[in-house]
Amino acid sequence: MTAVEIQGVSRHFGALRALDDVSMRFPEGSFTALLGPSGSGKTTLLRLIAGFDIPDAGRILFDGQSVETVPVERRGIGMMFQSYALFPNLDVAGNVGFGLWARRLPKAEIGRRVAQTLDLVRLSGLETRRPHQLSGGQRQRVALARAVAIQPRVLLLDEPLSALDKALRLDMQVELKRIQREIGITTIFVTHDQEEALTLSDRIGILREGRLVEEGRPEEIYGHPRTEFAATFLGDANILRGQAEGNAIRLADGTLIALAGPAEGPGPAAACAVRPERIRLVAATSPAPAGRLNRLAGRVEKRIFSGASRTYFVETVAGSLRALVQSGGEAPFGEGEAVILDWPPESTIAVLPDSGAADAAVPALP
Amino acid sequence: MRGRWPTLLGQAWLGLVLLFLYLPIFVLALMSFNASPFYQLPFEPSLDWYRALAGNRQLKAASWNSLFIAALTTVIATLLGAMASLALHRHAFRGKRVLQALLFPPVAVPWLITGTAMLIFFFGVGLGRGLHTVLIGHVALALPYVIVVISVRLQGFAPELEEAARSLGASPWQILRRVTLPFIAPGVVAGALFAFAVSFDQFVVSYFLATPGETTLPVEIYSAIRKGFTPEINAVSTLIIAVSMGLVFLTSRFFRFGGVR
């Protein structure tokens, strides 16, 4: 097992700063998601770790040893491509055994390890099929098997599930997690899908415009995002803006919103994030309950029923807020009805407001 | 019933075109098996002309020259063409577009002009004329066809395939052998057939570049007709047509299946 570390890595393409001074650690056996919108530099970072590209600055360490100049074919990585990139002229066994063939292992050894790997991804019996004779999910497994058959030090996955339809994707998430645990390999995967990042990984790094915005365990980032960007990109969040006032934010109309911690931000402008599922919806006539709660009056704009839950869009002094309520139970509020939203201060996370304009100098990736 | 007449007319037209194309060839092939030397009926089946052809040293020597040069042209043009196509596909370099654009004019320029230019050039650089310059000329003529055909195939080649192979630890040679070549093989075969056809059917450039004593089959046939027609020409023409058509069929086969896989 190998620990990966990147230190101050930058990669520029002309005037474009695809990656700007990114440092991150990937502990042994960890499963890390690099999450970000397109153009955030996540794929550039993966290709740098793989060795397809060389950083302009910074170091990439495998177990403390610098590997920036080691070419991809000798770096000992296994990579799964978004398109799978299966060799169309080779059958499943030929694809999975390709890396072993390239290492000039004896035929019997190749056969043994191919069988073993196919067993791991539960594709035994399909050895002689060609890629075009396989379903999307099977192709994905072959691509994964091919990458792990060489017993790489690090497994890199580029948008591993994006080519699959939704039902299959859920299956494969479980499978991918199981396989990663079984071989215990340090895995780094790139995705723009926050749900995928949350379910698969035990660490998440959020990238934006070539910078690492936030890093940590999924629960940590989801529960306590430090930036508005992370709060809204990983999961859904209501953002309330106002002036910092100690452990609270004063909204434009003077309402004070209590926070879990001190307000953050450059200058007096501050923001906080509240997850929609933390917000409770009560009738406008109901009395204030005991205990410290943030309360905002509003009017239901619309509500969307999605089976297990309902989302209410409520117009308040802080703008339109979303509340996610378990469906069933009490009769739902109708559109146009006056309601009160309340939620505890512990669920009100102070976040660094999105500057937006501050990064305007950075040209966006296509 | 609407649309039936246009269909019928279209089929009739197609039939006429095919007749126009193939009737002379058919007559020629038929007459090569006719005993009469003057295109006369009744038809008397005979293999005399093929026997005569077998005894005709000059025609036989020219046939071997043609085959030899076509085979060598195929090997050289296909090798160079495949390498050039891969280079054009993989690398972005200065003047790449100009180079690619320059591949097409030789296909369009009349062979007469190309032949004259080559003759002058080969004399200028001291190569003179002979089968060696015929070979160089044929390779130059065939190369653009090979590059165009293989490049079309390469357009469908995902660069991730080679990247995947690299990530699995394969050397450039291993990648070429196991990944790239198998993928472009249909294009390479089609390109090779084109090269063979361009060389084997070549008259104008061969006429300019070969010396009278030692020449290729099309040039030899032309000289033979000028001296006086013999039905042996029918016989050798029939053989050439058979070879050429066979090659065209093979080419179209590879092209069709090459696209789907």
Side-chain angles (χ1 to χ4, degrees), chain A residues 58-260:
Chain A
R59 305 215 300 158
I60 298 167
L61 308 169
F62 281 15
D63 280 337
Q65 281 190 318
S66 186
V67 295
E68 305 93 70
T69 53
V70 178
V72 60
E73 54 268 36
R74 279 192 273 124
R75 202 173 281 196
I77 55 114
M79 176 134 170
M80 201 179 117
F81 291 77
Q82 186 172 6
S83 62
Y84 305 150
L86 297 179
F87 306 124
N89 54 302
L90 301 178
D91 59 13
V92 168
N95 267 282
V96 175
F98 187 91
L100 308 171
W101 169 81
R103 282 163 176 70
R104 300 173 197 285
L105 292 188
K107 266 209 172 119
E109 172 74 4
I110 295 179
R112 199 178 57 75
R113 273 169 67 175
V114 166
Q116 221 173 45
T117 315
L118 284 177
D119 194 43
L120 176 76
V121 300
R122 308 201 170 140
L123 273 185
S124 302
L126 296 185
E127 283 84 351
T128 55
R129 295 268 189 93
R130 292 285 194 90
H132 66 92
Q133 295 170 310
L134 300 174
S135 71
Q138 289 170 333
R139 266 180 234 177
Q140 209 251 9
R141 283 161 198 256
V142 174
L144 182 64
R146 186 178 69 178
V148 300
I150 55 172
Q151 296 172 351
R153 304 173 72 184
V154 181
L155 180 61
L156 306 171
L157 314 169
D158 186 7
E159 303 269 359
L161 305 170
S162 65
L164 301 177
D165 57 53
K166 199 173 176 194
L168 205 52
R169 211 178 314 167
L170 286 174
D171 283 354
M172 283 313 299
Q173 282 178 5
V174 177
E175 274 292 283
L176 203 55
K177 189 86 198 155
R178 173 186 68 78
I179 292 165
Q180 195 265 341
R181 284 227 180 97
E182 219 158 293
I183 52 183
I185 189 173
T186 309
T187 305
I188 304 170
F189 86 104
V190 153
T191 182
H192 63 269
D193 184 336
Q194 41 114 349
E195 200 187 306
E196 213 166 279
L198 283 171
T199 39
L200 278 176
S201 55
D202 44 45
R203 294 182 63 77
I204 294 180
I206 298 182
L207 286 141
R208 185 195 192 189
E209 286 167 348
R211 301 209 183 131
L212 185 68
V213 177
E214 221 156 302
E215 183 195 353
R217 290 185 302 110
E219 293 86 353
E220 230 167 70
I221 300 184
Y222 186 82
H224 298 279
R226 286 196 306 275
T227 60
E228 180 183 339
F229 181 76
T232 50
F233 198 73
L234 193 72
D236 197 8
N238 293 298
I239 301 294
L240 290 85
R241 291 164 210 284
Q243 304 290 313
E245 238 183 79
N247 278 10
I249 285 178
R250 174 122 8 229
L251 301 181
D253 77 318
T255 312
L256 202 63
I257 302 289
L259 305 176

Side-chain angles (χ1 to χ4, degrees), chain B residues 160-181:
Chain B
E160 292 102 73
L161 288 178
E162 286 185 342
E163 288 191 343
R166 277 187 70 194
S167 75
L168 293 164
S171 66
W173 175 242
Q174 285 177 321
I175 296 173
L176 185 71
R177 221 174 72 200
R178 200 97 190 253
V179 179
T180 317
L181 272 186

Side-chain angles (χ1 to χ4, degrees), chain B residues 104-127:
Chain B
F104 290 96
V107 177
V109 169
W111 281 336
L112 192 70
I113 294 170
T114 316
T116 317
M118 283 180 175
L119 182 63
I120 295 168
F121 174 76
F122 289 141
F123 260 105
V125 299
L127 279 172

Side-chain angles (χ1 to χ4, degrees), chain B residues 3 8 81 86:
Chain B
L8 273 178
L86 281 172

